[in-house]
Amino acid sequence: MNKNKVNYLENQSRAIEVPTTKLKAVRRNEIKAVRSKKSLEIESAPFAASSFSELGLPPLLLDRLEREGFKLPTDVQSVAIPTILKNHDVVIQSYTGSGKTLAYLLPILSEVGPLKNKSSTGDGESGKTDIEAVIVAPSRELGMQIVREIEKLLGPSDKKVVQQLVGGANRSRQEEALKKNKPAIIVGTPGRIAEISAAGKLHTHGCRFLVLDEIDELLSFNFRESMHRILEHVGRRSGANPHEAKSSLARTSERQTIMVSATVPFSVIRAARSWGNDPLLVQAKRVVPLESVPSSGPVNLSGPISSSSSNTNQPVELTLPPALRHYFCVTKLQHKVDTLRRCVHALDAKSVIVFMNHSKQLKDAVFKLEARGIKAAELHGDLGKLARSTTLKKFKNGELRVLVTNELSARGLDVAECDLVVNLDLPTDSIHYAHRAGRTGRLGRKGTVVTICEEPEVFVVKKLQKRLGIPIRTCEFTEGKLVVSEKEEEKTLEAVRSKQHEVSPDDSLAKFIA
Ligand SMILES: Nc1ncnc2c1ncn2[C@@H]1O[C@H](COP(=O)(O)OP(=O)(O)OP(=O)(O)O)[C@@H](O)[C@H]1O
């Protein structure tokens, strides 16, 4: 066994200790047993590990991480990786762009596929061809992005270990590929996974990992039926009675469930409790049993924001990347696109994501921007899969300066270069604001969020400011500059000071940017 891993596991048994009642049956590897202790001691957990090798990852995977230029784990990775390696069901919550994807992919790749620990059991040894990990994401774009992240680590010769099952693509081709390549990991959207599963072409009963990325979005009504099928079939042995899920026998055959989002409303806490086995809430600086988190407000979990409402869609935990700056600018409806143009120039933004709520207005905005010499394109669900991926590619390559889109792109979209997010229509609530805003300022980078609104909408911005506990400064774009009036600035800061603790400008992710 890897020496690093031994040391790490020894350290870990001191670091994260879980009450006896929270022990899960050890399914795969005796070494991974969790020691029984009365309380969850987290003070000595590696909240900021100085290298990936401290986290008990296999040597091959460490090599790949180095090759791909991943030098240090982020805070959430430092906590999530060892917790998942210890077989816990988890809810991972940390702000946008903090590296949640690798936080769950790395422990999975430690157990599944060609980079895994030699000591792990798996298909290779038993000749089993079942899928071993199912990753569910709410959009094709996000699904495809996750696949690319896995492929990057697997390398070109092992690409077939992962397969995407996203909607909009040819289903029979996906089914043929499943049969031919026998992938160990599938990543897909709920509808397509459920469809292929219902057709009997997806063998997931022996599946060890179920990841629900953007869990709060996956709880939405549209996905209900598909999610039900996935939860009932993934990681459940044939013939196992789902109603016996809490019995010890059923537990040992159950999957490990990993739920992820930057925003964790009460509805997620409740769902996670019923879908997981004594899940832990994993954040950048702490691990707590989810049981200890109230499933309705008011709560205060030490984060800067906590809800004081019992509405299930209100965030229990909602933090934003500290390096983001937030502004709003008041204008008339007919001048919105022109204000956007002035905003892009004033900030000299190179890569801009603009959010709107309706596709028709969205097309008009693109037309007007192009007419004013700004390279722009639209991205929304009415476009075909090919058009969507071509546009996204162009935006990522820098061929487009402005991407005008809707909620489709608010979640998970990772474009490191994006330096400005503009809300040309208001988001519906603070959760939507957080996900939209999080397309910029990723991994500790600087980023600006500008909301362009009409006078009667200002009260909504003030509400968002209050709920999020961040200053959203009023600004104007004059003479090619972003101007904030000092009087308004003082008022904004006063309002926020009374609501929120100071956000440290010294973001722990700052070390990731050159
Ligand atoms: N340890 C690391 N070192 C360097 N880069 C990293 C590291 N971890 C992740 N990244 C990169 O940081 C970017 C953001 O990561 P990721 O998309 O996982 O964030 P996230 O927390 O899931 O964001 P969101 O909530 O918006 O989905 C990605 O490009 C990813 O490859």
Side-chain angles (χ1 to χ4, degrees), residues 52 70-74 77 95-102 145 149 152 214 262 412 414 438-439 442-443 512:
F52 280 108
F70 296 110
K71 295 193 178 74
L72 292 171
T74 66
Q77 289 162 0
Y95 54 73
T96 51
S98 55
K100 294 187 289 297
T101 316
L102 283 184
Q145 193 174 282
E149 195 98 346
K152 212 158 59 178
E214 306 291 350
D414 181 49
R439 295 319 99 210
R442 298 185 66 76
L443 210 73
F512 289 92

Side-chain angles (χ1 to χ4, degrees), residues 332-356:
K332 293 211 165 76
L333 182 65
Q334 63 270 30
H335 297 150
K336 274 192 171 184
V337 179
D338 198 50
T339 309
L340 165 65
R341 182 189 58 80
R342 286 188 288 124
C343 167
V344 170
H345 288 310
L347 293 166
D348 193 23
K350 304 283 182 284
S351 178
V352 186
I353 301 184
V354 175
F355 286 99
M356 296 187 75

